[in-house]
Each structure stands twice: as C-alpha cells, then as structure tokens.
Amino acid sequence: GTYEQAKGVFSAAASSLAQTIEFIPREYDNYLFITNIYNVAGDALSRSYFDTAAEWARKGIAVSEFGPGIRYQYAVALNGKGESGAAEEQLRIAADLDPNYAEPRIFLAQLLMERGDRAAALELIEEVQRIRPDYPGLEDLIESAGITGTEGE
C-alpha cells in the first residue's frame, strides 16, 4: 500500500544520508537534511521518528552550533516529542543566529499563541512582517492571533 511505499522511500533516503554522514561527518547540511526527513516521517508515519530526528539534530549542532537551520529542525523534533518549552528555546537561538530567518519566528509565534501569550506572538509576527512582508500565510497567522490592527476602531 501507499504507507508501505512511503516508509520504503523514507528508509532509503534516511539510509543514504546516514551513509553520507558516515563518509563526510563534518558536512553540516547533511544533518539538516536527515533531521528534516525524520521530522517529516514523524508527522507522516509515526511520532516515534521525532526521537531520531532530535538525535540527528544534536549531532548536527555538535558539528555546527551556529547553524540556524539545524536549530529550527531540532525545535520541530522537540515539539513533535511534546517538549514545547525546549522547542521554544531552540527557536529563539535560531532566530538570534539569523535576523532574516522567518520560519523560527513564525513557529515560535504559533507556540506562544497556543500558550496564550498573544503579545509576544505579535512581536514576532511584526518582525516577520518587516523582514519578509511577502511571507506566505502571514495574513492568516495575524488573523488567527486575533490581531486586527486598525480595522473597526
């Protein structure tokens, strides 16, 4: 079935990346890629893959602690494991490492809204509006945050 096919494709990709990392252990991007595919598998196949994603992310951070992408992927894994506080911490690090990286700010804003901290979420959304005004879905996020701006005043 489709699930088995997806699992097979995932396994082949993960195995290939793991072999590549074994061959070239200092290449940061490969950790980013393998963490990302384990996160996708965590969403699509089984939440247990988030554990492996987090392990790969930690290895990638050991290779390059200043990589904002691996911090973002680590946050996705941590959140998938139910560790939203630790995910928030990694998202803040990713955002600090790259002032133009919108994704960690968007994800962090969503986590803050889930917790009810709309003011902090709004600050992040406004940052994204400044750095990436064309960010897809930004208007929907603003609406879901209950931020109406000046309409109706």
Side-chain angles (χ1 to χ4, degrees), residues 2 8 16 23 25 35 41 49 51 56 64 66 78-79 97 103 105 108 113 116 125 130 143 145-146 153:
T2 309
S16 175
F23 187 65
T35 303
Y49 286 113
D51 293 326
W56 280 113
S64 177
F66 301 111
L78 290 167
N79 193 60
L97 287 169
E103 285 76 6
R105 289 167 172 81
L108 183 54
M113 280 191 291
I125 293 166
R130 280 192 301 277
E143 199 174 301
E153 285 184 8

Side-chain angles (χ1 to χ4, degrees), residues 96-124:
D96 288 345
L97 287 169
D98 184 347
N100 295 311
Y101 192 12
E103 285 76 6
R105 289 167 172 81
I106 294 289
F107 190 12
L108 183 54
Q110 291 167 331
L111 292 178
L112 291 169
M113 280 191 291
E114 285 172 18
R115 264 211 327 225
D117 191 347
R118 293 189 186 286
L122 175 59
E123 276 182 42
L124 289 160

Side-chain angles (χ1 to χ4, degrees), residues 16-60:
S16 175
L17 277 165
Q19 289 171 9
T20 302
I21 289 169
E22 200 174 309
F23 187 65
I24 313 167
R26 305 292 308 159
E27 180 52 50
Y28 162 80
D29 286 341
N30 292 325
Y31 294 93
L32 191 59
F33 301 147
I34 198 166
T35 303
N36 182 43
I37 65 168
Y38 272 100
N39 279 332
V40 170
D43 271 336
L45 301 174
S46 166
R47 297 187 66 73
S48 65
Y49 286 113
F50 287 123
D51 293 326
T52 309
E55 288 172 32
W56 280 113
R58 285 190 292 274
K59 291 175 185 176

